[in-house]
């Protein structure tokens, strides 16, 4: 049985939805941490606070959630645009975001030794966005927009 590739419009709508959720998650983390706090751990525990207060939560003095917001906005732009340029941009951005999410998850598990559920949510969203953009690129590059 052969699986049918979703229509490109369906892939773009799903990517638009997931990128918008990602913007919300990353913005929440950035705003809370900018105020000197940590994201609320809805599932309990102190993992979010531990991760937020770690030395890994900033790169060059910039909260990594800001990089997340920028990445999700760029992925949203790629999802809203048509054509090969947008398809390839979505793939490259998704690959970069996925790779960075894997690295951050490694840091949480093995260096910080705490898990932030908001970070996990972001990693899941980025993984899904990478998958959608990979399917979109492989299936539709070279086809008319």
């Amino acid at each position: 049985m052969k699986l049918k590739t979703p229509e490109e419009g369906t892939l773009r709508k799903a990517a638009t939805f997931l990128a918008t959720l990602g913007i919300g998650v990353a913005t929440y983390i950035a705003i809370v941490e900018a105020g000197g706090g940590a994201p609320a751990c809805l599932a309990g525990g102190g993992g979010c606070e531990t991760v937020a207060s770690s030395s890994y939560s900033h790169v060059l003095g910039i909260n990594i959630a800001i990089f997340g917001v920028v990445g999700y906005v760029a992925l949203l732009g790629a999802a809203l645009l048509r054509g090969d340029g947008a398809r390839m941009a979505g793939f490259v951005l998704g690959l970069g975001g996925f790779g960075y999410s894997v690295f951050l998850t490694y840091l949480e598990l093995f260096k910080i030794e705490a898990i932030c559920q908001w970070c996990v949510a972001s990693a899941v969203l980025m993984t899904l966005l990478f998958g959608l953009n990979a399917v979109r690129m492989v299936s539709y590059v070279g086809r008319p927009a």
Side-chain angles (χ1 to χ4, degrees):
M1 179 175 143
K2 184 178 177 184
L3 294 176
K4 185 178 184 294
T5 302
E7 295 292 325
E8 184 177 17
T10 302
L11 294 170
R12 290 179 58 230
K13 286 175 187 172
T16 298
F17 176 73
L18 293 174
T20 302
L21 284 178
I23 291 168
V25 169
T27 300
Y28 169 70
I29 295 169
I31 289 172
V32 170
E33 290 186 11
C41 280
L42 301 177
C48 295
E49 185 176 330
T50 302
V51 171
S53 64
S54 78
S55 62
Y56 298 104
S57 66
H58 290 74
V59 173
L60 300 173
I62 301 170
N63 184 324
I64 60 170
I66 299 299
F67 295 108
V69 172
V70 171
Y72 283 118
V73 167
L75 281 161
L76 177 62
L80 293 173
L81 297 173
R82 298 173 189 260
D84 282 351
R87 294 168 183 146
M88 288 190 265
F91 174 75
V92 169
L93 290 164
L95 177 61
F98 171 72
Y100 196 60
S101 292
V102 168
F103 172 68
L104 293 174
T105 301
Y106 162 79
L107 291 176
E108 282 185 282
L109 292 171
F110 300 106
K111 298 291 183 180
I112 303 168
E113 296 180 351
I115 298 293
C116 170
Q117 66 193 14
W118 295 99
C119 300
V120 171
S122 181
V124 168
L125 290 169
M126 196 57 78
T127 300
L128 293 171
L129 281 162
F130 170 58
L132 286 171
N133 280 292
V135 170
R136 181 180 177 206
M137 188 192 78
V138 169
S139 300
Y140 293 100
V141 161
R143 294 188 183 181

